[in-house]
Amino acid sequence: MQDAIWWQVYPLGFVGAFPGDQPPDPGEHRLRRLVGWFDHAIELGASGIALGPIFQSRTHGYDTTDHFSIDPRLGDDADFDYLIGEAKHRGMRVLLDGVFNHVGVDFPGYRQAADDNACARWFRGRPGHFRTFEGHAELIALNHANAEVADYVVDVMTHWLQRGADGWRLDAAYAVPQQFWAATLPRVRRRHPDAWFVGELIHGDYAATVRDAEFDSATQYELWKAIWSSLNDGNFFELDWALQRHNEFLASFSPLTFIGNHDVTRIASRLQHPDHLAHALVILLTVGGIPSVYAGDEFGWCGIKEERFGGDDAVRPEFGTPPTQLDEAGAWVWDLHRYLVGLRRRHPWLVAASTTALRLENRHYVYQTCCGDDALLVVLNVDRAPLHLVLSEVGVAKAEVVAGSSAPPREVVDELVVEGHGWRILQAV
């Protein structure tokens, strides 16, 4: 799992099950549509499929009704078993999305809470005044001090791991007391010692939370924000600061890195200059951590998240049957993803690599990414003017050009010119 490269999918949207005027029924077996895309994920270079919610819910999947049942809009248990079998046949891992901070209003215990004190104790607050998740009235916060809730979460996780899953993304993990995770995850690991757990964290001391909660990894939102923000603002000092923090995290765990997911505006829509999509991807795939590519980003798809009802729909579209027909721009993005994911697979040490700035200016950034004796040199230019770089000025005598915009492949140089809004990856010789 440490060396995984994830292709992330939001299943309900991917198969057209939500939103929709007429929800599909289990007989449509829509979950199986994902399997048709597994070979695409392999061609991309991914080694694992990270799924969004697949358990029974009323709407978007994060309002769970029954953690032990596949959402009938997706299918049934047999469809899950088929998906797992096809993934394993291809050597791919499967990560599930566990929503254990809150439940939906159709959750049986919540519906009985007004008349049953034992059920009421499953939730924070009291009947009629239960707490909700971040003000969403349809998301009822669980009481993590209740031992029955802990037992339930352990049972859910072990059930699906036993059925073939490889790990869990823990949704809204930042909202759950760390001692709850520290008490429950070891119980799961005793039965499934190879299971992998990544907590959704947004702010705060990632390293301390990972340690105290006993996660294996955490979502690296700090780096995500710094990547697109520094490119838009022409301020690589922000990115360098985030990468210094990232180095500190890497000393104790491997963060889950990304430039897109189901909860944020797509990177192609977020960036103000289209050429900088390449820069964002270069950063993602040349720094330490466990990278994840959100389905559709590898085609350069656009989509803006809005803070309104249905505001996630644009970034969670339905996919058709592969292969997707791409225009020239989409084909370029696809080829770039395949090349850079391939570069990462050829340099597996990058999972633990730390970065060092060799030249840092607002619009120019040269950094070395290294682990032990292995190293790559990355040159980023977001200025309109070309960047002339003499390698000896950054402590390198000669280097071979591995990749770049308008770059001759495998050329050994001691200086180079990176065109405006261009980039290079080099390896010292």
Side-chain angles (χ1 to χ4, degrees):
M1 299 292 274
Q2 188 78 355
D3 296 317
I5 297 174
W6 296 102
W7 188 57
Q8 192 217 343
V9 174
Y10 175 74
L12 288 167
F14 194 98
V15 304
F18 179 83
D21 295 332
Q22 284 295 112
D25 61 47
E28 296 184 34
H29 306 289
R30 293 200 183 191
L31 189 62
R32 298 188 182 222
R33 292 189 190 178
L34 296 180
V35 173
W37 285 85
F38 282 3
D39 291 339
H40 162 82
I42 290 174
E43 187 177 357
L44 171 66
S47 57
I49 307 293
L51 298 176
I54 61 171
F55 307 119
Q56 185 175 359
S57 71
R58 176 189 287 187
T59 60
H60 45 58
Y62 291 97
D63 53 342
T64 316
T65 299
D66 183 355
H67 293 82
F68 289 101
S69 297
I70 299 298
D71 196 304
R73 293 171 294 175
L74 297 174
D76 53 27
D77 277 9
D79 298 317
F80 176 82
D81 292 340
Y82 176 75
L83 181 146
I84 291 291
E86 291 296 312
K88 302 302 183 185
H89 176 69
R90 292 166 173 81
M92 301 190 74
R93 306 279 190 175
V94 176
L95 186 71
L96 299 181
D97 200 345
V99 186
F100 300 123
N101 175 68
H102 49 267
V103 296
V105 293
D106 289 338
F107 187 77
Y110 174 71
R111 296 178 70 86
Q112 299 167 20
D115 303 314
D116 188 328
N117 288 335
C119 289
R121 288 193 291 272
W122 273 54
F123 309 99
R124 299 181 212 169
R126 64 184 189 279
H129 299 278
F130 287 128
R131 295 185 185 177
T132 60
F133 174 59
E134 297 183 349
H136 299 284
E138 70 281 6
L139 303 179
I140 312 303
L142 288 166
N143 174 19
H144 297 94
N146 186 335
E148 292 182 3
V149 172
D151 291 343
Y152 176 80
V153 171
V154 170
D155 289 344
V156 170
M157 288 196 281
T158 54
H159 173 81
W160 294 106
L161 291 169
Q162 187 66 35
R163 295 281 294 272
D166 295 287
W168 289 90
R169 171 193 175 271
L170 303 172
D171 180 70
Y174 56 87
V176 177
Q178 294 170 20
Q179 58 267 30
F180 176 83
W181 300 121
T184 56
L185 297 185
R187 294 172 59 188
V188 180
R189 286 192 177 101
R190 281 196 289 271
R191 296 173 61 179
H192 298 278
D194 295 329
W196 189 72
F197 301 93
V198 52
E200 184 192 18
L201 305 183
I202 299 176
H203 307 294
D205 188 340
Y206 290 0
T209 301
V210 168
R211 181 191 65 239
D212 294 343
E214 300 192 22
F215 299 151
D216 295 297
S217 183
T219 53
Q220 229 301 27
Y221 269 94
E222 283 188 14
L223 183 59
W224 162 78
K225 192 271 180 183
I227 290 173
W228 61 259
S229 179
S230 63
L231 292 171
N232 282 347
D233 295 344
N235 177 19
F236 277 127
F237 288 90
E238 179 183 1
L239 177 60
D240 185 68
W241 178 256
L243 285 174
Q244 291 181 48
R245 287 261 298 167
H246 192 61
N247 288 341
E248 295 175 7
F249 301 151
L250 287 162
S252 57
F253 72 98
S254 296
L256 182 70
T257 57
F258 58 94
I259 53 175
N261 66 31
H262 65 296
D263 277 332
V264 300
T265 290
R266 285 193 183 271
I267 189 66
S269 295
R270 178 72 74 174
L271 293 171
Q272 297 169 2
H273 196 295
D275 286 347
H276 296 169
L277 177 59
H279 297 67
L281 190 62
V282 166
I283 296 165
L284 173 68
L285 293 172
T286 60
V287 303
I290 300 171
S292 174
V293 176
Y294 181 49
D297 282 357
E298 71 271 31
F299 302 137
W301 284 3
C302 295
I304 297 175
K305 176 185 171 69
E306 300 178 86
E307 295 301 325
R308 60 173 178 81
F309 180 78
D312 294 313
D313 296 350
V315 298
R316 301 174 178 180
E318 183 175 0
F319 281 58
T321 302
T324 295
Q325 298 301 311
L326 301 175
D327 59 16
E328 183 178 353
W332 174 81
V333 175
W334 168 241
D335 288 341
L336 181 64
H337 271 78
R338 282 195 301 168
Y339 181 82
L340 290 173
V341 171
L343 181 144
R344 185 158 188 115
R345 290 178 67 109
R346 292 190 297 274
H347 298 83
W349 53 268
L350 281 167
V351 67
S354 60
T355 56
T356 304
L358 303 181
R359 178 170 174 175
L360 175 59
E361 299 163 353
N362 281 340
R363 297 179 177 272
H364 304 140
Y365 191 34
V366 181
Y367 64 88
Q368 183 184 61
T369 182
C370 67
C371 180
D373 295 331
D374 296 304
L376 292 174
L377 189 69
V378 179
V379 184
L380 304 176
N381 177 19
V382 295
D383 201 2
R384 289 180 294 178
L387 166 64
H388 179 226
L389 179 66
V390 177
L391 295 184
S392 62
E393 294 177 354
V394 295
V396 178
K398 290 185 177 182
E400 181 180 40
V401 178
V402 175
S405 50
S406 305
R410 300 303 176 185
E411 181 183 19
V412 176
V413 300
D414 55 13
E415 61 181 294
L416 71 159
V417 176
V418 179
E419 67 283 354
H421 302 291
W423 57 276
R424 298 287 187 277
I425 301 174
L426 306 98
Q427 191 162 18
V429 295

